[in-house]
Amino acid sequence: MFQGIKQLEEKNVANEITYMVWSSRMDLVAFSNTKGEVALHRLSWTRAWVLAPPKEGIIVNGIVWRPDGKVLAIAYSDGNICLINVETKSTLTKFEVTGEVSFISWIQEKPEIRPKNIYKIKDEDKEVVTFVDLSKPYIRDPPPVSHLEGSINFEDIKGLSSFLQEQSDFNLLVVGTKTGWISIRIFGCWNCLELNINDKLGFQCQIQNVHFTENLSKLFVTVADLDSNIKICVFDTNIFKAHSAEFYHVTMKYIKLYELVLYLEKILANITETWESILLEVDKKLAKYASQVPEGGVTADFLDLLMFGVCSDRMQEFLICDLTKKGLEKFGQTMEVSYSNMQSHLFRHIIKFSQNGTFHLAELKGMAAFEERFGIIGLNETQIQKAIQSNGAFVIKASEMQQIINHSVITYKAFFRWLYSAIMHLMDEPIPADLQKMTQQDLVCITEFLENFDNYGQSEKSSEGGGKFVMERLGQYLMDENLTIKPDMSGNDWTQFIEENECLKNCAQLLTHYTEKSLIQVFKELKRDIEKVFEAPSREIEKVVLPVASLDCPTMGTPHIILSSVNVSNGSPLLAVLQPPKSINIFQILLNNKGDYHATGANFFFSPESTPDSNQRELQSEPFDVIDIQFYSSNSLSVLLQESFNSRRGGIFQLSTQAAIDQLQEIDFSNRSEALRSVNAWNLGPTHFKNVNMPVSKFSVSGTRRVSIVLAENRRKVKLFEMECDEEEDEEVDMSASSVREDSFAM
């Protein structure tokens, strides 16, 4: 039995609204507008926050809430989808899909379907319960972002560590596109499946709706072809029902590794910026000098100064006027601090967290060994081992770079101490006592350092036409190209042992040292291999997600299709499709005892036959125009109606789904032109209609929160309603509506 509807608020907004979506857990409604902004409002219309579009000209194509109400997924017109932390407004993660988004939904498995011990993996043959330990990583996870925010921007990875927090129920973020692709992401993160529906059907189509059964065993995809004909395709997705525990564990590891990769990217970027900042000024000056002398002249001039204490006039001018004594003093101090920070980042973050990645990959490899559990979802042990190898190579390369930094610090100190004393000598100033003596080790370091000058000087051309001068060995590790000066491994016992034993060279268990590659190159390979670990399951899952039925719907005759779906009490989906301008088609898809699909359907129109509404004002006698539809709950379909003449007042009609199902008749879905039974929904039991007293364009309802919001025809005014109030409160609506303030809000 329906209760009354009471108007709560009436507000105006500054920009036209495009989408409105209620949270199922809190009295919050998310809006998007024509400027591409997304705003979050409370039921009292208090604004919580406004999110600007990622860039100018981008608009919103869809908004959906995570089932727990803590994350908002926003689909933008450029194909990017951002997951937003509702509390902080920060971006948790973002990804891109194939084509422009036409449908987005966040689907959760019905809680009572899955037992409480979902995260236990049981070997039924041995009667042993195995737990995958997710609580004790090999080393601690990255420190809180706040510890390093002064120097590094971690905005992209804030909140990822708690991405799955309190998500005990299995859920899927489903995205459909105008180009016929469907992307399914577990917990909104791991892209476990991509379906090209065009290939499955043999023609180009646009995704209109994607609907899972409550236990996730069947997927109903509603598409429209180029002529706006609608087809419903049924896919077997039992793999999600049977292996949700395995999917959960793999997704947990995906998030851990994804976070580590983002973290390492940020640290590497910070190290590169630190290196560039301390050497940029000196390198520019040396590059300018190198462009004024013959090739090899830089090394020769510096060696002359070192060995004989003499230099050319050009060299003297460069040292005194360009480098300057104060410049060298400042650079020496900055260099020592910066190198110390780089060492800290390498040792405390890069090496340790890449070791943490090895732990998570090793656990994934252990999961893959359970072939009967994880093999079916495509977890590949060979690919995981390759990622472990790449991660080991990255650790080795980072350790190699650590040694280079140690050597560079010693070399730099000796080089600049000598250069400082040379400038003091050229300026006829007294040289401090601690700079007068040079050890044999200092001389060797300086000579080795000078030998590398011309190896780098002309490797690339700068925008000014001269050589891009890089005067030390560290920089080559931070470029996406092979090392110019490879490390000398001739005295390394382990390298010699491997060379002497051919049987060990190709051993899969030994980590590879890529002597010719830079740290950036090895990291990119690691990132690619980790991505491949999670791409392999997607290909295997696609092989078992197969179409089992295809149903043609009556022709709609309009390119703009509005529909809504819900699971009813018997577990079958109920689909409502707007048939403009006066009616809706409702279909129920059923599975018979033989395993065949059949469907029932009917056409519903809304003609009150001069019945007065709750405000005792006579309604039109001819059928209403149907503007929008949305399932309020599994028991009720909300329909937004509007008069076709005079005041063109809109109204909300609540249609009982059971009353509608009772009117459905079996239909032949292979005959697209078959006429459906026509039913006047106004005659199906007690009528529940509420006039909203304005021309309307769309609405949004929430059965869990018992609220609705109606958007005016100009898309700048909204009215909020409580959907299940006492009849006495409902009668007071005229008084409350006339006294409401119409404040303007800028979204």
Side-chain angles (χ1 to χ4, degrees):
M1 184 68 181
F2 292 114
Q3 294 178 288
I5 300 177
K6 175 186 176 182
Q7 182 174 323
L8 299 176
E9 295 285 349
E10 178 180 330
K11 298 291 181 180
N12 290 335
V13 295
N15 299 290
E16 291 185 19
I17 293 174
T18 55
Y19 291 94
M20 308 178 297
V21 185
W22 285 102
S23 167
S24 61
R25 293 299 180 91
M26 296 171 284
D27 289 331
L28 294 172
V29 60
F31 293 89
S32 64
N33 62 23
T34 51
K35 292 176 62 178
E37 298 171 328
V38 175
L40 196 66
H41 283 257
R42 298 181 177 88
L43 186 58
S44 62
W45 203 248
T46 305
R47 190 172 63 192
W49 48 254
V50 176
L51 183 69
K55 53 186 177 181
E56 190 175 353
I58 299 299
I59 60 174
V60 175
N61 276 17
I63 308 173
V64 66
W65 291 83
R66 195 169 74 176
D68 64 1
K70 296 183 178 180
V71 176
L72 198 64
I74 305 172
Y76 289 101
S77 56
D78 61 352
N80 282 299
I81 296 176
C82 296
L83 303 189
I84 307 298
N85 185 321
V86 173
E87 184 177 350
T88 64
K89 203 180 75 170
S90 61
T91 301
L92 291 168
T93 186
K94 61 182 178 180
F95 55 89
E96 190 173 2
V97 295
T98 306
E100 190 174 350
V101 174
S102 59
F103 173 84
I104 184 168
S105 177
W106 213 318
I107 299 164
Q108 179 170 291
E109 182 185 46
K110 197 171 183 179
E112 55 264 29
I113 290 177
R114 188 65 50 189
K116 295 297 182 182
N117 61 349
I118 180 176
Y119 307 130
K120 298 179 182 179
I121 302 175
K122 186 176 181 180
D123 189 330
E124 295 176 355
D125 296 333
K126 299 180 180 179
E127 294 298 327
V128 174
V129 176
T130 304
F131 293 88
V132 179
D133 183 8
L134 302 172
S135 61
K136 298 179 180 179
Y138 178 63
I139 62 170
R140 66 183 179 85
D141 284 334
V145 174
S146 57
H147 290 189
L148 295 171
E149 282 208 3
S151 58
I152 306 176
N153 179 17
F154 283 92
E155 186 66 29
D156 292 342
I157 57 176
K158 281 183 177 180
L160 272 180
S161 58
S162 59
F163 196 95
L164 291 179
Q165 215 169 31
E166 301 176 3
Q167 287 194 98
S168 58
D169 297 320
F170 193 67
N171 60 71
L172 306 170
L173 178 63
V174 183
V175 182
T177 70
K178 293 181 179 180
T179 54
W181 283 83
I182 292 176
S183 173
I184 298 178
R185 292 178 175 260
I186 300 175
F187 296 114
C189 192
W190 175 33
N191 188 24
C192 68
L193 177 62
E194 284 201 353
L195 284 176
N196 186 348
I197 305 300
N198 302 309
D199 290 346
K200 304 292 183 183
L201 299 180
F203 60 84
Q204 291 295 315
C205 65
Q206 176 175 310
I207 306 300
Q208 297 292 332
N209 183 271
V210 181
H211 182 88
F212 272 95
T213 53
E214 290 179 340
N215 61 5
L216 305 181
S217 63
K218 294 293 184 293
L219 175 66
F220 297 82
V221 181
T222 306
V223 303
D225 63 15
L226 299 179
D227 297 321
S228 300
N229 296 316
I230 291 182
K231 182 184 284 288
I232 301 174
C233 303
V234 186
F235 289 83
D236 181 2
T237 55
N238 191 63
I239 189 171
F240 291 113
K241 173 187 175 183
H243 296 278
S244 60
E246 288 81 0
F247 277 118
Y248 174 85
H249 291 295
V250 175
T251 306
M252 284 288 288
K253 288 304 176 187
Y254 173 89
I255 290 173
K256 287 288 187 183
L257 290 166
Y258 177 68
E259 181 183 19
L260 281 171
V261 167
L262 287 180
Y263 192 89
L264 292 173
E265 280 182 335
K266 292 292 184 179
I267 295 294
L268 284 173
N270 183 261
I271 290 176
T272 303
E273 290 172 5
T274 302
W275 167 74
E276 290 176 345
S277 64
I278 63 174
L279 295 177
L280 185 61
E281 185 177 350
V282 175
D283 279 356
K284 281 185 176 180
K285 293 177 179 179
L286 285 169
K288 180 181 178 182
Y289 180 73
S291 66
Q292 299 173 354
V293 298
E295 185 175 349
V298 178
T299 300
D301 287 348
F302 274 96
L303 284 175
D304 284 344
L305 180 61
L306 175 65
M307 303 305 298
F308 307 112
V310 296
C311 63
S312 63
D313 293 340
R314 182 180 295 168
M315 181 69 163
Q316 182 172 342
E317 181 182 357
F318 168 71
L319 293 175
I320 296 176
C321 300
D322 291 342
L323 283 183
T324 73
K325 183 181 70 171
K326 286 187 177 180
L328 278 179
E329 289 176 347
K330 180 182 178 182
F331 179 79
Q333 295 172 355
T334 304
M335 179 208 67
E336 191 168 353
V337 173
S338 298
Y339 267 58
S340 176
N341 290 337
M342 292 168 67
Q343 282 182 309
S344 176
H345 284 332
L346 270 174
F347 183 73
R348 293 177 53 200
H349 304 296
I350 295 289
I351 296 177
K352 284 190 176 182
F353 296 141
S354 56
Q355 290 172 345
N356 203 357
T358 301
F359 167 77
H360 293 304
L361 287 168
E363 277 206 333
L364 272 175
K365 186 178 178 182
M367 293 178 193
F370 287 88
E371 291 187 6
E372 68 280 7
R373 299 292 185 182
F374 292 91
I376 194 170
I377 69 172
L379 207 57
N380 186 284
E381 194 171 349
T382 303
Q383 185 58 54
I384 296 172
Q385 179 60 37
K386 192 174 186 306
I388 293 174
Q389 290 279 70
S390 296
N391 195 68
F394 180 69
V395 174
I396 293 173
K397 185 58 65 172
S399 300
E400 178 188 315
M401 186 174 171
Q402 177 79 11
Q403 295 176 4
I404 294 298
I405 290 179
N406 291 335
H407 181 73
S408 296
V409 169
I410 297 172
T411 303
Y412 263 112
K413 285 183 177 179
F415 176 74
F416 284 104
R417 187 164 54 242
W418 161 71
L419 201 58
Y420 184 81
S421 63
I423 292 176
M424 297 284 285
H425 177 75
L426 291 173
M427 297 175 64
D428 293 327
E429 294 185 7
I431 301 174
D434 58 336
L435 296 179
Q436 290 180 352
K437 296 181 180 180
M438 181 183 298
T439 65
Q440 185 64 32
Q441 183 181 0
D442 291 340
L443 186 60
V444 171
C445 289
I446 296 170
T447 305
E448 179 185 348
F449 186 60
L450 294 176
E451 285 178 353
N452 296 326
F453 265 31
D454 291 305
N455 290 336
Y456 289 93
Q458 305 297 328
S459 62
E460 294 184 26
K461 295 296 180 181
S462 68
S463 58
E464 299 175 357
K468 182 179 179 181
F469 199 96
V470 181
M471 65 178 183
E472 43 74 79
R473 296 173 58 190
L474 180 62
Q476 60 179 338
Y477 286 85
L478 301 173
M479 297 179 181
D480 189 13
E481 56 187 44
N482 288 342
L483 300 179
T484 306
I485 302 177
K486 299 177 183 179
D488 183 9
M489 306 300 295
S490 57
N492 188 286
D493 294 338
W494 175 255
T495 303
Q496 186 176 353
F497 175 72
I498 296 297
E499 290 295 330
E500 293 173 355
N501 295 271
E502 292 289 335
C503 60
L504 296 177
K505 282 187 176 181
N506 299 319
C507 178
Q509 304 303 320
L510 292 181
L511 303 179
T512 305
H513 181 199
Y514 298 104
T515 56
E516 75 284 358
K517 292 185 178 181
S518 68
L519 182 68
I520 299 299
Q521 287 178 314
V522 177
F523 173 72
K524 285 190 172 182
E525 187 170 338
L526 166 63
K527 184 178 178 181
R528 283 194 297 268
D529 285 339
I530 289 178
E531 289 173 350
K532 289 179 181 178
V533 167
F534 297 98
E535 288 173 358
S538 178
R539 293 189 293 269
E540 294 300 316
I541 295 167
E542 185 182 2
K543 294 177 182 178
V544 299
V545 177
L546 301 174
V548 294
S550 180
L551 310 169
D552 290 323
C553 294
T555 302
M556 305 309 298
T558 174
H560 182 59
I561 298 171
I562 300 175
L563 54 85
S564 183
S565 60
V566 72
N567 287 313
V568 290
S569 57
N570 61 0
S572 61
L574 197 65
L575 185 72
V577 185
L578 195 152
Q579 178 72 62
K582 298 288 186 179
S583 63
I584 60 174
N585 293 334
I586 296 181
F587 306 109
Q588 186 175 22
I589 303 171
L590 302 164
L591 179 66
N592 60 26
N593 296 331
K594 297 180 180 179
D596 298 325
Y597 285 89
H598 67 103
T600 58
N603 176 269
F604 295 82
F605 65 94
F606 302 84
S607 181
E609 299 177 354
S610 300
T611 303
D613 70 358
S614 59
N615 298 326
Q616 302 302 314
R617 297 168 67 180
E618 187 173 308
L619 301 172
Q620 67 176 39
S621 57
E622 68 177 63
F624 276 86
D625 290 342
V626 182
I627 306 300
D628 200 2
I629 53 176
Q630 185 180 345
F631 277 100
Y632 179 76
S633 66
S634 61
N635 300 318
S636 176
L637 172 66
S638 296
V639 185
L640 186 63
L641 303 175
Q642 184 168 270
E643 294 174 335
S644 57
F645 63 93
N646 296 337
S647 63
R648 297 176 64 243
R649 295 172 298 169
I652 303 173
F653 186 95
Q654 295 291 88
L655 174 62
S656 167
T657 55
Q658 187 55 54
I661 290 173
D662 292 341
Q663 301 298 318
L664 304 183
Q665 293 183 345
E666 189 159 344
I667 58 175
D668 181 9
F669 256 154
S670 63
N671 183 7
R672 195 184 296 276
S673 61
E674 180 180 2
L676 299 177
R677 178 190 181 189
S678 185
V679 179
N680 185 358
W682 220 279
N683 297 331
L684 300 181
T687 301
H688 192 66
F689 176 83
K690 188 61 175 181
N691 201 313
V692 300
N693 294 308
M694 66 177 182
V696 295
S697 61
K698 67 187 309 179
F699 73 158
S700 178
V701 298
S702 172
T704 56
R705 305 311 302 172
R706 302 179 179 180
V707 290
S708 67
I709 184 168
V710 180
L711 181 63
E713 188 176 47
N714 63 9
R715 293 181 176 266
R716 291 177 182 269
K717 182 167 74 171
V718 295
K719 290 186 178 183
L720 285 77
F721 295 89
E722 181 182 348
M723 297 294 288
E724 300 179 30
C725 64
D726 296 334
E727 292 294 341
E728 293 78 8
E729 295 177 342
D730 185 24
E731 293 173 359
E732 299 173 0
V733 67
D734 280 342
M735 184 178 297
S736 61
S738 62
S739 60
V740 72
R741 292 180 295 108
E742 296 186 358
D743 300 330
S744 293
F745 287 83
M747 281 182 59

